[in-house]
Amino acid sequence: MVFLYALQALPSSEIPVVEAHTSSCADCRQEIETLRPIIGSFVSWPTDVLRPSVSLWGRLAQRIAEETGKEPVLPPSQPPAKPAWEEVAPGISCKLLATDTEKNRVSMLVRLAPGTDYPPHRHAGVEELYLLHGG
């Protein structure tokens, strides 16, 4: 449960339970602190990569429940919203994948229409992009 909490993948009904437990459990607090840098390294990964499919979640939840003797933790009822493509300039479309406000960086997909140039611009921080079409 601590791992799912650290990934922000717990159903909302389970969050208060884990927070109450970790407030009095030094081992679980330490586990969360150990996981933070690992999860922080995922900042540039698309969120759909980090979330297991419904079928995988179900199999994992069942296996964990069998090993712990507890009820399976069901996946969140609503899947996370998929980021939308946004036309940021004529012929340039972007799809934001991740934002790290602490480190001031973003990850995105970019599509350029034929004959489109990416205009000169300045960055406030690190920008990681994957150019799908164009050059």
Side-chain angles (χ1 to χ4, degrees), residues 106-128:
V106 298
S107 295
M108 67 181 85
L109 298 174
V110 176
R111 290 190 300 207
L112 298 179
T116 302
D117 291 323
Y118 203 83
H121 60 285
R122 295 194 181 271
H123 296 257
V126 174
E127 181 180 281
E128 175 181 49

PDB file of all heavy atoms in Angstrom, residues 106-128:
ATOM      1  N   VAL A 106       9.680  20.139 -18.190  1.00  0.00           N
ATOM      2  CA  VAL A 106       8.518  19.478 -18.774  1.00  0.00           C
ATOM      3  C   VAL A 106       8.989  18.436 -19.783  1.00  0.00           C
ATOM      4  O   VAL A 106      10.105  18.507 -20.298  1.00  0.00           O
ATOM      5  CB  VAL A 106       7.563  20.472 -19.475  1.00  0.00           C
ATOM      6  CG1 VAL A 106       7.006  21.485 -18.505  1.00  0.00           C
ATOM      7  CG2 VAL A 106       8.227  21.153 -20.649  1.00  0.00           C
ATOM      8  N   SER A 107       8.118  17.480 -20.070  1.00  0.00           N
ATOM      9  CA  SER A 107       8.335  16.501 -21.136  1.00  0.00           C
ATOM     10  C   SER A 107       7.117  16.550 -22.040  1.00  0.00           C
ATOM     11  O   SER A 107       5.994  16.618 -21.551  1.00  0.00           O
ATOM     12  CB  SER A 107       8.486  15.092 -20.563  1.00  0.00           C
ATOM     13  OG  SER A 107       9.636  15.001 -19.776  1.00  0.00           O
ATOM     14  N   MET A 108       7.352  16.528 -23.348  1.00  0.00           N
ATOM     15  CA  MET A 108       6.234  16.633 -24.273  1.00  0.00           C
ATOM     16  C   MET A 108       6.546  15.942 -25.589  1.00  0.00           C
ATOM     17  O   MET A 108       7.699  15.662 -25.904  1.00  0.00           O
ATOM     18  CB  MET A 108       5.896  18.096 -24.533  1.00  0.00           C
ATOM     19  CG  MET A 108       6.975  18.854 -25.295  1.00  0.00           C
ATOM     20  SD  MET A 108       6.595  20.585 -25.566  1.00  0.00           S
ATOM     21  CE  MET A 108       7.161  21.269 -24.033  1.00  0.00           C
ATOM     22  N   LEU A 109       5.485  15.661 -26.324  1.00  0.00           N
ATOM     23  CA  LEU A 109       5.586  15.216 -27.705  1.00  0.00           C
ATOM     24  C   LEU A 109       5.330  16.427 -28.581  1.00  0.00           C
ATOM     25  O   LEU A 109       4.518  17.284 -28.241  1.00  0.00           O
ATOM     26  CB  LEU A 109       4.546  14.143 -28.004  1.00  0.00           C
ATOM     27  CG  LEU A 109       4.629  12.854 -27.212  1.00  0.00           C
ATOM     28  CD1 LEU A 109       3.432  11.963 -27.534  1.00  0.00           C
ATOM     29  CD2 LEU A 109       5.921  12.126 -27.493  1.00  0.00           C
ATOM     30  N   VAL A 110       6.023  16.501 -29.723  1.00  0.00           N
ATOM     31  CA  VAL A 110       5.853  17.631 -30.640  1.00  0.00           C
ATOM     32  C   VAL A 110       5.660  17.088 -32.048  1.00  0.00           C
ATOM     33  O   VAL A 110       6.364  16.170 -32.466  1.00  0.00           O
ATOM     34  CB  VAL A 110       7.090  18.566 -30.602  1.00  0.00           C
ATOM     35  CG1 VAL A 110       6.949  19.690 -31.621  1.00  0.00           C
ATOM     36  CG2 VAL A 110       7.308  19.126 -29.206  1.00  0.00           C
ATOM     37  N   ARG A 111       4.687  17.663 -32.760  1.00  0.00           N
ATOM     38  CA  ARG A 111       4.472  17.346 -34.178  1.00  0.00           C
ATOM     39  C   ARG A 111       4.618  18.630 -34.980  1.00  0.00           C
ATOM     40  O   ARG A 111       4.035  19.653 -34.618  1.00  0.00           O
ATOM     41  CB  ARG A 111       3.070  16.791 -34.414  1.00  0.00           C
ATOM     42  CG  ARG A 111       2.838  15.429 -33.864  1.00  0.00           C
ATOM     43  CD  ARG A 111       1.537  14.837 -34.336  1.00  0.00           C
ATOM     44  NE  ARG A 111       0.393  15.658 -33.945  1.00  0.00           N
ATOM     45  CZ  ARG A 111      -0.832  15.195 -33.752  1.00  0.00           C
ATOM     46  NH1 ARG A 111      -1.084  13.922 -33.921  1.00  0.00           N
ATOM     47  NH2 ARG A 111      -1.814  15.994 -33.404  1.00  0.00           N
ATOM     48  N   LEU A 112       5.392  18.560 -36.042  1.00  0.00           N
ATOM     49  CA  LEU A 112       5.543  19.699 -36.938  1.00  0.00           C
ATOM     50  C   LEU A 112       4.911  19.347 -38.276  1.00  0.00           C
ATOM     51  O   LEU A 112       5.196  18.298 -38.855  1.00  0.00           O
ATOM     52  CB  LEU A 112       7.024  20.029 -37.170  1.00  0.00           C
ATOM     53  CG  LEU A 112       7.847  20.452 -35.955  1.00  0.00           C
ATOM     54  CD1 LEU A 112       9.289  20.709 -36.376  1.00  0.00           C
ATOM     55  CD2 LEU A 112       7.268  21.679 -35.296  1.00  0.00           C
ATOM     56  N   ALA A 113       4.070  20.229 -38.788  1.00  0.00           N
ATOM     57  CA  ALA A 113       3.494  20.043 -40.116  1.00  0.00           C
ATOM     58  C   ALA A 113       4.591  20.269 -41.151  1.00  0.00           C
ATOM     59  O   ALA A 113       5.576  20.977 -40.877  1.00  0.00           O
ATOM     60  CB  ALA A 113       2.340  21.026 -40.322  1.00  0.00           C
ATOM     61  N   PRO A 114       4.474  19.662 -42.333  1.00  0.00           N
ATOM     62  CA  PRO A 114       5.485  19.871 -43.375  1.00  0.00           C
ATOM     63  C   PRO A 114       5.730  21.356 -43.624  1.00  0.00           C
ATOM     64  O   PRO A 114       4.807  22.153 -43.679  1.00  0.00           O
ATOM     65  CB  PRO A 114       4.873  19.197 -44.611  1.00  0.00           C
ATOM     66  CG  PRO A 114       3.936  18.167 -44.058  1.00  0.00           C
ATOM     67  CD  PRO A 114       3.389  18.779 -42.785  1.00  0.00           C
ATOM     68  N   GLY A 115       7.006  21.711 -43.727  1.00  0.00           N
ATOM     69  CA  GLY A 115       7.392  23.091 -44.006  1.00  0.00           C
ATOM     70  C   GLY A 115       7.370  24.015 -42.799  1.00  0.00           C
ATOM     71  O   GLY A 115       7.607  25.209 -42.917  1.00  0.00           O
ATOM     72  N   THR A 116       7.080  23.475 -41.624  1.00  0.00           N
ATOM     73  CA  THR A 116       7.001  24.302 -40.413  1.00  0.00           C
ATOM     74  C   THR A 116       8.355  24.326 -39.715  1.00  0.00           C
ATOM     75  O   THR A 116       9.031  23.311 -39.597  1.00  0.00           O
ATOM     76  CB  THR A 116       5.953  23.735 -39.434  1.00  0.00           C
ATOM     77  OG1 THR A 116       4.701  23.674 -40.107  1.00  0.00           O
ATOM     78  CG2 THR A 116       5.832  24.597 -38.193  1.00  0.00           C
ATOM     79  N   ASP A 117       8.751  25.498 -39.259  1.00  0.00           N
ATOM     80  CA  ASP A 117       9.968  25.642 -38.461  1.00  0.00           C
ATOM     81  C   ASP A 117       9.579  25.849 -37.010  1.00  0.00           C
ATOM     82  O   ASP A 117       8.595  26.527 -36.715  1.00  0.00           O
ATOM     83  CB  ASP A 117      10.801  26.849 -38.917  1.00  0.00           C
ATOM     84  CG  ASP A 117      11.412  26.643 -40.294  1.00  0.00           C
ATOM     85  OD1 ASP A 117      11.822  25.501 -40.594  1.00  0.00           O
ATOM     86  OD2 ASP A 117      11.482  27.625 -41.059  1.00  0.00           O
ATOM     87  N   TYR A 118      10.369  25.276 -36.129  1.00  0.00           N
ATOM     88  CA  TYR A 118      10.167  25.520 -34.702  1.00  0.00           C
ATOM     89  C   TYR A 118      10.828  26.850 -34.406  1.00  0.00           C
ATOM     90  O   TYR A 118      12.032  27.013 -34.596  1.00  0.00           O
ATOM     91  CB  TYR A 118      10.813  24.386 -33.894  1.00  0.00           C
ATOM     92  CG  TYR A 118      10.244  24.195 -32.520  1.00  0.00           C
ATOM     93  CD1 TYR A 118       9.086  23.459 -32.331  1.00  0.00           C
ATOM     94  CD2 TYR A 118      10.853  24.756 -31.403  1.00  0.00           C
ATOM     95  CE1 TYR A 118       8.550  23.259 -31.074  1.00  0.00           C
ATOM     96  CE2 TYR A 118      10.317  24.572 -30.140  1.00  0.00           C
ATOM     97  CZ  TYR A 118       9.179  23.822 -29.983  1.00  0.00           C
ATOM     98  OH  TYR A 118       8.644  23.636 -28.735  1.00  0.00           O
ATOM     99  N   PRO A 119      10.063  27.862 -33.995  1.00  0.00           N
ATOM    100  CA  PRO A 119      10.632  29.209 -33.856  1.00  0.00           C
ATOM    101  C   PRO A 119      11.643  29.291 -32.710  1.00  0.00           C
ATOM    102  O   PRO A 119      11.554  28.541 -31.732  1.00  0.00           O
ATOM    103  CB  PRO A 119       9.408  30.079 -33.552  1.00  0.00           C
ATOM    104  CG  PRO A 119       8.393  29.141 -32.979  1.00  0.00           C
ATOM    105  CD  PRO A 119       8.659  27.802 -33.606  1.00  0.00           C
ATOM    106  N   PRO A 120      12.610  30.206 -32.835  1.00  0.00           N
ATOM    107  CA  PRO A 120      13.556  30.414 -31.724  1.00  0.00           C
ATOM    108  C   PRO A 120      12.776  30.837 -30.474  1.00  0.00           C
ATOM    109  O   PRO A 120      11.808  31.587 -30.562  1.00  0.00           O
ATOM    110  CB  PRO A 120      14.449  31.550 -32.208  1.00  0.00           C
ATOM    111  CG  PRO A 120      14.214  31.660 -33.684  1.00  0.00           C
ATOM    112  CD  PRO A 120      12.864  31.099 -33.950  1.00  0.00           C
ATOM    113  N   HIS A 121      13.203  30.345 -29.336  1.00  0.00           N
ATOM    114  CA  HIS A 121      12.532  30.686 -28.077  1.00  0.00           C
ATOM    115  C   HIS A 121      13.472  30.409 -26.915  1.00  0.00           C
ATOM    116  O   HIS A 121      14.488  29.753 -27.062  1.00  0.00           O
ATOM    117  CB  HIS A 121      11.230  29.890 -27.919  1.00  0.00           C
ATOM    118  CG  HIS A 121      11.415  28.409 -27.911  1.00  0.00           C
ATOM    119  ND1 HIS A 121      11.682  27.687 -29.048  1.00  0.00           N
ATOM    120  CD2 HIS A 121      11.378  27.525 -26.897  1.00  0.00           C
ATOM    121  CE1 HIS A 121      11.802  26.409 -28.743  1.00  0.00           C
ATOM    122  NE2 HIS A 121      11.631  26.281 -27.434  1.00  0.00           N
ATOM    123  N   ARG A 122      13.123  30.944 -25.740  1.00  0.00           N
ATOM    124  CA  ARG A 122      13.922  30.750 -24.525  1.00  0.00           C
ATOM    125  C   ARG A 122      13.177  29.828 -23.572  1.00  0.00           C
ATOM    126  O   ARG A 122      11.954  29.797 -23.555  1.00  0.00           O
ATOM    127  CB  ARG A 122      14.188  32.080 -23.842  1.00  0.00           C
ATOM    128  CG  ARG A 122      15.046  33.006 -24.652  1.00  0.00           C
ATOM    129  CD  ARG A 122      15.538  34.150 -23.769  1.00  0.00           C
ATOM    130  NE  ARG A 122      16.343  35.067 -24.537  1.00  0.00           N
ATOM    131  CZ  ARG A 122      17.649  34.941 -24.704  1.00  0.00           C
ATOM    132  NH1 ARG A 122      18.290  33.944 -24.155  1.00  0.00           N
ATOM    133  NH2 ARG A 122      18.318  35.824 -25.419  1.00  0.00           N
ATOM    134  N   HIS A 123      13.935  29.119 -22.788  1.00  0.00           N
ATOM    135  CA  HIS A 123      13.365  28.204 -21.801  1.00  0.00           C
ATOM    136  C   HIS A 123      13.646  28.711 -20.394  1.00  0.00           C
ATOM    137  O   HIS A 123      14.741  29.181 -20.112  1.00  0.00           O
ATOM    138  CB  HIS A 123      13.983  26.808 -21.931  1.00  0.00           C
ATOM    139  CG  HIS A 123      13.674  26.160 -23.223  1.00  0.00           C
ATOM    140  ND1 HIS A 123      12.729  25.173 -23.348  1.00  0.00           N
ATOM    141  CD2 HIS A 123      14.174  26.355 -24.475  1.00  0.00           C
ATOM    142  CE1 HIS A 123      12.674  24.783 -24.594  1.00  0.00           C
ATOM    143  NE2 HIS A 123      13.532  25.489 -25.306  1.00  0.00           N
ATOM    144  N   ALA A 124      12.660  28.588 -19.528  1.00  0.00           N
ATOM    145  CA  ALA A 124      12.855  28.936 -18.117  1.00  0.00           C
ATOM    146  C   ALA A 124      13.566  27.788 -17.401  1.00  0.00           C
ATOM    147  O   ALA A 124      14.177  27.978 -16.371  1.00  0.00           O
ATOM    148  CB  ALA A 124      11.515  29.223 -17.451  1.00  0.00           C
ATOM    149  N   GLY A 125      13.473  26.600 -17.954  1.00  0.00           N
ATOM    150  CA  GLY A 125      14.088  25.426 -17.338  1.00  0.00           C
ATOM    151  C   GLY A 125      14.350  24.379 -18.405  1.00  0.00           C
ATOM    152  O   GLY A 125      14.440  24.689 -19.585  1.00  0.00           O
ATOM    153  N   VAL A 126      14.470  23.132 -17.986  1.00  0.00           N
ATOM    154  CA  VAL A 126      14.744  22.038 -18.912  1.00  0.00           C
ATOM    155  C   VAL A 126      13.463  21.658 -19.632  1.00  0.00           C
ATOM    156  O   VAL A 126      12.417  21.532 -19.016  1.00  0.00           O
ATOM    157  CB  VAL A 126      15.304  20.816 -18.142  1.00  0.00           C
ATOM    158  CG1 VAL A 126      15.466  19.617 -19.078  1.00  0.00           C
ATOM    159  CG2 VAL A 126      16.617  21.168 -17.471  1.00  0.00           C
ATOM    160  N   GLU A 127      13.548  21.489 -20.929  1.00  0.00           N
ATOM    161  CA  GLU A 127      12.418  21.031 -21.740  1.00  0.00           C
ATOM    162  C   GLU A 127      12.870  19.791 -22.496  1.00  0.00           C
ATOM    163  O   GLU A 127      13.843  19.833 -23.219  1.00  0.00           O
ATOM    164  CB  GLU A 127      11.984  22.116 -22.718  1.00  0.00           C
ATOM    165  CG  GLU A 127      10.800  21.721 -23.573  1.00  0.00           C
ATOM    166  CD  GLU A 127      10.401  22.830 -24.522  1.00  0.00           C
ATOM    167  OE1 GLU A 127       9.735  23.771 -24.079  1.00  0.00           O
ATOM    168  OE2 GLU A 127      10.783  22.750 -25.707  1.00  0.00           O
ATOM    169  N   GLU A 128      12.177  18.704 -22.256  1.00  0.00           N
ATOM    170  CA  GLU A 128      12.482  17.454 -22.946  1.00  0.00           C
ATOM    171  C   GLU A 128      11.341  17.198 -23.913  1.00  0.00           C
ATOM    172  O   GLU A 128      10.187  17.206 -23.533  1.00  0.00           O
ATOM    173  CB  GLU A 128      12.547  16.326 -21.907  1.00  0.00           C
ATOM    174  CG  GLU A 128      12.743  14.964 -22.491  1.00  0.00           C
ATOM    175  CD  GLU A 128      12.769  13.894 -21.422  1.00  0.00           C
ATOM    176  OE1 GLU A 128      11.879  13.876 -20.553  1.00  0.00           O
ATOM    177  OE2 GLU A 128      13.704  13.089 -21.470  1.00  0.00           O
TER     178      GLU A 128
END
